[in-house]
Amino acid sequence: MPPDADTSSAGATALTLLFEPVGSWWLVVLVAAGLAAVLLLVTPDRSRIDGWRLRWLVGLRIAAFLAIVFCMLRPTVVAQRRLLQEGDLLVLADASESMTVADAPAGQTRWEHLVASLEAAEPQARELLEDGGVRLRLWRFDRGLESVPAREETLFPLDPTWEKGEGSEETALGAAIDEAVQTADFENLAGVVVLSDGAQHAYPPRDLPPQTVARRLGESGIPLWSVLFGQQRSGSQGRDAEVVQLSVADDVFVKTSVEVTGRVRLSGLADRDVVVRLLVEDDTGELEEVSQTLVQSTGSRAEELVRLTWRPETPGERKLVLAIDPFDGETVITNNEVSSFVNVIDGGLQVVYLEGALRVEQRFLRRTLSASPDMQVDFRWIDASKRGDWPVDISGMLDENVDVFLIGDLDATALSPETHAILNDRVGQGAGLGLLGGLHAFEAGGWGATPLRPALPFERDPLSRQPFDEPVRESLHLPGPLQMLPHPRFGGISILRLADTPAENLAAWQQLPTLDGGNVFGQLAPAAQPVAVSEAGDPLLIAKNYGTGRVAALAVDSTWRWVMQGADDSYRRFWRQFIFWLASRDDIGDDALWVRPAQRRVSAGTPLTFNTGLRRADGEPIQEAVVEAEVVAPDGTKRPLRLVRDGESWAGQVSECSTPGDWTIAATASRNGQQVAARESRFTVFRQDLEMANPVANGLLMRQLAEETGREPQAAEEIAGIFEELLERPAVYANEADWNWSLWDTWPMLLLTVAVMSLEWFLRKRWGLA
């Protein structure tokens, strides 16, 4: 055994002799057989030596033979310890405020009952620990999670006198289980014991559903035992109406119907209906009712969905309140309303997008335009496979408020001549018209033969028609790859502005990925200009003014490749500028400062992050702007906020929001030392007693947690049985190699082999046999 080998271990040590033959066992057998044949057939000359010398030589040869075979077997001695594999048993004790409800046996609070139940089960827990197969780890939780180390006198050092902590007003049951599991050795997790009233009351980001964590444990074969504390009272024992949620878009448009959704929870109100009202702030700052709905209780505590509508008439930031009128006998009225804020935007571009093919380009384009808060996109797919129903009626989309019409890969026969005439009039009166490339775009779709012809930036060519169900006419298309570049003379148009200087702008376009191909425009209309071309000079983007409107035709339909190859900012900027140019809004309007809080409602003490920035009228950020911000508390107290660069905007955080009420983030932007814009955005800080507003024990949730892992919920007096069940499990052992010793590749073995062979040769030489 090597001198540094350590055989001390808490488990039993076993020695094992292992063989790893060279090549295979058959190779060793063949080599051994060959050597044995040599020993038998090639013997020393018996006539020249006597018997004892012959025996010496044969013995040395046999020793050399055995040494060679021994080394070919490569024997190794391995010492292994058989160690008891310990697993972590996590015990989580709910210490939230709802555990102070005195509905346990003998008038105890839930917390007192929990502590007493653990003390009663301590003998079984100690027996489990002495068995050596489990490490017990105790945690207490509310909004957070805190480890409770065992003491010599007790394994569960929990004070039966409950004390309020910083997180006592919430119960983050799911987050607590998840974090406790993460701190343990998941592969050797013996189980989780959850002691709680099952009341999951937590705000984001601590609102992880506990069923999600339990399901993950069940999939890994890890048991979870749930022990319920508290009474599951019926809804009739407490009358309460609570608004639990208010959802509305951050940005809405003037004179557009806005849907406001919410959820209300009704307890003990099976005998009556409840009126839910939507209140909205007017221009004077007063709240007025704009809508209401009637909610009928189902008799259970399930949440009821409510939907109300509101049509804003003026722009600006507005406060919304979803409220339920208090009624006689209601236990808690602080939860009867929820408020939020929305930005009402004046106008916003109205875009109608008609598409004849559900291709990749339209999907990326719709996603980009719809993500713009200052655009409303009305999309319609006109299926070419249903040409028997053409022309289609789109009269409902030809509203006078439409700013831009986009027409994708659509044949002109999809629309009636009357529709073409209306489009022609609308463009002449100031609307924008964008035509996008495709198999049936431009003259391939017969657009020059329609009443829309005067507005088009290309001449009519009847010979360029692309019939349906026929092979694609290659002469109507430019083969790819195509590098789209600004025209040297006409390329200064705002659509193509990707950088500040012409040289930087050209370099930006040269770095964009190439496109798959494009349409051939043919002869351009007299007033049309080629604003973007290929490297060969073929027009790819042409534009013209028509009346007071603008028209642009884009020959390519693969700009989505810019996004796929990392140029998504350039893609977004190009298409936004394309729409703004068509709408004649590219060079008008003042710089706009924006402030966007991450949330409009935060609980007291929760930090709020926000972003702010300055942008041009076309939506592009102004990088050189300097933005400053301050926060105004409900009592009017102001304090400055620190801002840091975050890409194209500024990021900040409002902390120490402890006073409930409406808070205001006030931002100002400066350029060249002069203030150019100011903006305010409000948010609400609330303090709602989640724990005591609804302190009923949730036995259903606790049952779901246990059943996710194949268990049943346990009563408080059955905690000892959990420890006994773990004690009866068979012990799990792991083998650990302490050391190994190779017997064949050592100096003694080498010296022995060399010595035997050398001695045999020396004796044969000395005795005259060699």
Side-chain angles (χ1 to χ4, degrees):
M1 181 181 297
D4 58 346
D6 182 12
T7 60
S8 61
S9 171
T13 301
L15 297 178
T16 306
L17 180 62
L18 303 178
F19 294 95
E20 296 182 18
V22 176
S24 66
W25 282 99
W26 284 110
L27 178 61
V28 176
V29 171
L30 290 174
V31 172
L35 292 176
V38 172
L39 286 176
L40 294 175
L41 298 176
V42 185
T43 59
D45 190 352
R46 298 173 181 267
S47 63
R48 299 174 61 183
I49 57 175
D50 53 20
W52 68 273
R53 292 179 178 177
L54 177 62
R55 287 191 294 272
W56 263 97
L57 291 177
V58 172
L60 290 172
R61 290 184 179 183
I62 294 174
F65 161 74
L66 293 177
I68 293 174
V69 174
F70 183 80
C71 290
M72 291 188 69
L73 291 174
R74 296 193 293 192
T76 303
V77 176
V78 178
Q80 291 183 319
R81 286 184 298 177
R82 190 165 179 262
L83 300 178
L84 182 63
Q85 193 76 22
E86 290 188 332
D88 289 327
L89 176 63
L90 309 180
V91 179
L92 283 77
D94 187 348
S96 61
E97 191 168 2
S98 63
M99 295 295 288
T100 62
V101 175
D103 60 355
Q108 292 178 305
T109 65
R110 298 172 184 175
W111 176 252
E112 292 169 344
H113 189 202
L114 184 153
V115 174
S117 299
L118 282 178
E119 290 177 352
E122 182 157 337
Q124 289 79 10
R126 286 193 177 276
E127 185 179 355
L128 179 61
L129 293 183
E130 292 170 358
D131 186 60
V134 170
R135 292 186 301 266
L136 192 147
R137 302 177 64 181
L138 177 64
W139 302 84
R140 56 177 289 162
F141 69 93
D142 39 37
R143 181 172 60 195
L145 182 69
E146 177 187 358
S147 176
V148 183
R151 300 174 186 168
E152 183 176 352
E153 64 275 13
T154 178
L155 297 176
F156 308 112
L158 298 174
D159 191 341
T161 301
W162 184 87
E163 293 184 2
K164 187 179 181 66
E166 293 183 0
S168 299
E169 296 178 353
E170 297 182 37
T171 305
L173 182 54
I177 300 174
D178 185 54
E179 291 180 8
V181 169
Q182 291 182 22
T183 64
D185 181 1
F186 192 81
E187 296 297 328
N188 297 315
L189 190 57
V192 180
V193 181
V194 179
L195 314 174
S196 172
D197 57 13
Q200 164 83 352
H201 296 143
Y203 294 113
R206 303 286 298 171
D207 58 343
L208 176 67
Q211 297 94 328
T212 301
V213 187
R215 189 174 302 113
R216 187 166 68 246
L217 293 174
E219 292 171 352
S220 301
I222 300 173
L224 183 149
W225 293 273
S226 61
V227 182
L228 179 68
F229 291 89
Q231 298 297 319
Q232 304 176 64
R233 295 190 296 270
S234 64
S236 61
Q237 290 178 266
R239 298 165 63 88
D240 184 47
E242 176 186 6
V243 181
V244 295
Q245 186 183 41
L246 167 62
S247 298
V248 64
D250 290 334
D251 300 299
V252 299
F253 295 95
V254 170
K255 298 181 179 180
T256 301
S257 180
V258 178
E259 183 180 65
V260 180
T261 62
R263 289 187 177 276
V264 299
R265 182 186 295 124
L266 307 178
S267 303
L269 298 174
D271 58 338
R272 64 184 303 172
D273 297 332
V274 174
V275 177
V276 181
R277 307 178 189 275
L278 177 62
L279 310 176
V280 179
E281 187 179 47
D282 60 19
D283 292 334
T284 65
E286 298 294 326
L287 291 173
E288 62 177 3
E289 182 179 332
V290 297
S291 182
Q292 67 172 252
T293 186
L294 194 65
V295 178
Q296 186 174 20
S297 174
T298 60
S300 65
R301 296 189 63 257
E303 295 179 1
E304 306 289 343
L305 177 67
V306 295
R307 298 180 185 273
L308 301 104
T309 57
W310 160 56
R311 180 182 173 90
E313 297 296 333
T314 57
E317 186 178 64
R318 295 289 182 263
K319 181 177 182 178
L320 278 69
V321 178
L322 195 64
I324 301 175
D325 294 338
F327 52 86
D328 295 338
E330 188 172 6
T331 57
V332 180
I333 61 172
T334 57
N335 57 9
N336 281 41
E337 68 178 42
V338 170
S339 63
S340 185
F341 295 91
V342 299
N343 288 321
V344 181
I345 300 174
D346 185 8
L349 290 180
Q350 306 287 322
V351 180
V352 168
Y353 183 7
L354 306 177
E355 180 60 70
L358 294 183
R359 48 192 177 158
V360 179
E361 182 82 328
Q362 64 84 23
R363 186 168 70 248
F364 277 76
L365 178 56
R366 288 172 59 194
R367 183 187 306 163
T368 296
L369 299 183
S370 299
S372 301
D374 44 11
M375 294 184 191
Q376 287 183 293
V377 180
D378 189 2
F379 175 81
R380 179 166 179 180
W381 171 41
I382 302 177
D383 190 355
S385 66
K386 299 179 180 179
R387 296 191 297 276
D389 298 332
W390 287 6
V392 298
D393 180 15
I394 63 165
S395 57
M397 305 178 74
L398 301 177
D399 189 274
E400 293 183 357
N401 294 323
V402 176
D403 298 288
V404 175
F405 294 93
L406 285 182
I407 300 179
D409 187 7
L410 183 66
D411 195 274
T413 57
L415 306 178
S416 67
E418 293 77 15
T419 300
H420 295 144
I422 294 174
L423 287 174
N424 186 75
D425 292 341
R426 293 285 294 107
V427 175
Q429 295 168 5
L433 174 63
L435 303 171
L436 311 182
L439 295 180
H440 293 273
F442 317 131
E443 281 305 273
W447 287 92
T450 70
L452 189 58
R453 177 182 176 181
L456 300 179
F458 47 82
E459 292 290 353
R460 181 185 180 188
D461 184 2
L463 300 179
S464 296
R465 200 74 167 87
Q466 173 67 60
F468 285 98
D469 302 325
E470 290 189 12
V472 176
R473 298 179 59 186
E474 300 295 339
S475 61
L476 302 181
H477 300 275
L478 298 171
L482 296 176
Q483 185 72 56
M484 187 169 168
L485 300 171
H487 189 278
R489 180 180 176 186
F490 306 112
I493 190 170
S494 64
I495 299 176
L496 304 178
R497 187 189 301 144
L498 297 183
D500 295 331
T501 67
E504 292 174 346
N505 193 54
L506 177 60
W509 279 98
Q510 289 172 336
Q511 293 173 3
L512 287 179
T514 58
L515 304 173
D516 295 340
N519 291 81
V520 174
F521 282 120
Q523 185 176 353
L524 304 189
Q529 295 177 342
V531 297
V533 295
S534 68
E535 290 180 316
D538 297 304
L540 297 182
L541 175 62
I542 57 178
K544 65 174 285 189
N545 292 326
Y546 179 67
T548 58
R550 290 176 174 180
V551 183
L554 181 64
V556 297
D557 64 350
S558 55
T559 60
W560 57 271
R561 292 199 176 278
W562 297 346
V563 178
M564 299 302 292
Q565 299 184 46
D568 48 336
D569 288 340
S570 297
Y571 176 88
R572 178 184 59 83
R573 184 169 182 174
F574 167 76
W575 280 109
R576 280 182 56 84
Q577 292 172 170
F578 185 84
I579 299 299
F580 272 93
W581 183 87
L582 290 174
S584 301
R585 298 194 186 183
D586 52 327
D587 294 315
I588 63 173
D590 298 327
D591 298 336
L593 179 65
W594 55 273
V595 180
R596 189 173 298 279
Q599 297 172 261
R600 290 291 195 163
R601 286 176 52 82
V602 295
S603 60
T606 302
L608 173 73
T609 59
F610 67 94
N611 286 80
T612 181
L614 188 66
R615 62 188 175 207
R616 298 186 179 93
D618 62 2
E620 289 307 309
I622 301 177
Q623 300 284 3
E624 65 272 17
V626 177
V627 182
E628 299 177 333
E630 63 180 8
V631 63
V632 183
D635 60 1
T637 305
K638 301 180 180 179
R639 53 187 170 91
L641 299 173
R642 179 174 177 268
L643 299 179
V644 296
R645 271 288 184 187
D646 183 20
E648 298 177 344
S649 64
W650 299 79
Q653 177 174 284
V654 183
S655 56
E656 300 178 2
C657 301
S658 56
T659 305
D662 294 341
W663 292 62
T664 303
I665 300 173
T668 58
S670 302
R671 298 180 67 183
N672 301 321
Q674 298 293 323
Q675 179 175 320
V676 295
R679 185 65 182 267
E680 293 183 349
S681 185
R682 290 177 291 171
F683 63 96
T684 296
V685 175
F686 65 94
R687 178 180 287 116
Q688 183 175 349
D689 193 347
L690 293 178
E691 289 291 298
M692 301 311 293
N694 183 29
V696 178
N698 191 344
L700 175 60
L701 175 61
M702 297 294 280
R703 173 174 291 278
Q704 290 174 343
L705 297 186
E707 290 179 347
E708 287 287 355
T709 66
R711 301 284 164 172
E712 293 290 332
Q714 307 291 307
E717 57 272 15
E718 295 175 322
I719 297 178
I722 298 174
F723 300 140
E724 292 173 350
E725 179 182 342
L726 287 171
L727 188 62
E728 295 174 358
R729 287 185 177 182
V732 178
Y733 291 90
N735 292 327
E736 179 180 304
D738 284 340
W739 54 266
N740 60 76
W741 183 23
S742 297
L743 303 177
W744 60 279
D745 60 346
T746 61
W747 279 107
M749 191 64 203
L750 176 62
L751 293 176
L752 176 62
T753 305
V754 172
V756 169
M757 297 179 69
S758 299
L759 180 59
E760 192 273 343
W761 180 87
F762 172 76
L763 292 179
R764 286 193 296 110
K765 184 74 174 176
R766 182 176 181 83
W767 293 335
L769 298 178

